[in-house]
Amino acid sequence: TERKQMEEELRNYSENLAEMVLKKTNELAISERLLQTTIENVPDHVYVKSRERDSDKGFKFIYVNDSYSKFHNKTKKQIIGKSNYSLYQKDQASSFTKEDTKIFNEGKSILSPDTEVTTSNGDIRVIQTIKAPIKDKTGFVTHIIGITRDLTERKRLEKMKDQFISAVTHE
């Protein structure tokens, strides 16, 4: 009887454990979908780069959200595995790569000043980017996450406001 009682307890424990694992797996899947949906739907451009470099010595994109790919008028497949050199003019790409190198080496976040960039389809846009390191358990920087905001429209409105104020003041 003692053995049967232990077997019964073990069976109950196994069933409860299986239920708990299934419940936690479902909760994790829901959480992951929510996070993915959130990142895909923010208006800012979100991307992740790895330490791996391409033939131009730029760090490779391993993830970009929809906003980032639309900004560059490219599909995600056209961006993933490439670097800044396939998206920006060479001097801009070099500047961004220097920032990335600094983050990989120093492990500190960078907030870039407002920067004029020429997109791959020739549009001139004003952006501001914050880049942060993603570290492993030992503190080694394995990836960079970047969040870029397109300030072009805001800058255009500020310029119009300044011109209006200047004209009113002049009158």
Side-chain angles (χ1 to χ4, degrees), residues 52-60 82-85 97:
E52 188 179 350
R53 291 180 177 246
D54 68 0
S55 59
D56 291 318
K57 302 299 181 204
F59 296 100
K60 290 185 179 183
K82 304 284 192 315
S83 73
N84 288 321
Y85 291 95
T97 301

Side-chain angles (χ1 to χ4, degrees), residues 43-54:
D44 291 335
H45 317 306
V46 180
Y47 58 86
V48 177
K49 293 179 184 176
S50 72
R51 280 186 165 270
E52 188 179 350
R53 291 180 177 246
D54 68 0

Side-chain angles (χ1 to χ4, degrees), residues 39 42-48 65 68 110-112 127-132 144-150:
I39 292 172
V42 296
D44 291 335
H45 317 306
V46 180
Y47 58 86
V48 177
N65 70 349
Y68 193 85
I110 291 178
L111 174 62
S112 301
I127 62 170
Q128 183 182 57
T129 302
I130 185 164
K131 297 178 185 180
I144 293 173
I145 183 167
I147 302 171
T148 298
R149 180 162 288 167
D150 186 351

Side-chain angles (χ1 to χ4, degrees), residues 101-145:
T101 302
K102 185 174 182 177
I103 295 168
F104 276 120
N105 291 338
E106 297 177 12
K108 295 179 183 173
S109 298
I110 291 178
L111 174 62
S112 301
D114 297 357
T115 306
E116 269 195 13
V117 296
T118 304
T119 62
S120 51
N121 60 357
D123 293 339
I124 296 175
R125 311 294 290 181
V126 179
I127 62 170
Q128 183 182 57
T129 302
I130 185 164
K131 297 178 185 180
I134 299 174
K135 300 176 182 179
D136 65 12
K137 292 178 184 179
T138 66
F140 180 75
V141 180
T142 58
H143 297 84
I144 293 173
I145 183 167

Side-chain angles (χ1 to χ4, degrees), residues 23-36:
K23 182 181 176 184
K24 290 296 179 186
T25 301
N26 288 337
E27 288 174 2
L28 183 60
I30 289 168
S31 177
E32 187 176 330
R33 280 194 305 272
L34 178 62
L35 178 62
Q36 183 70 25

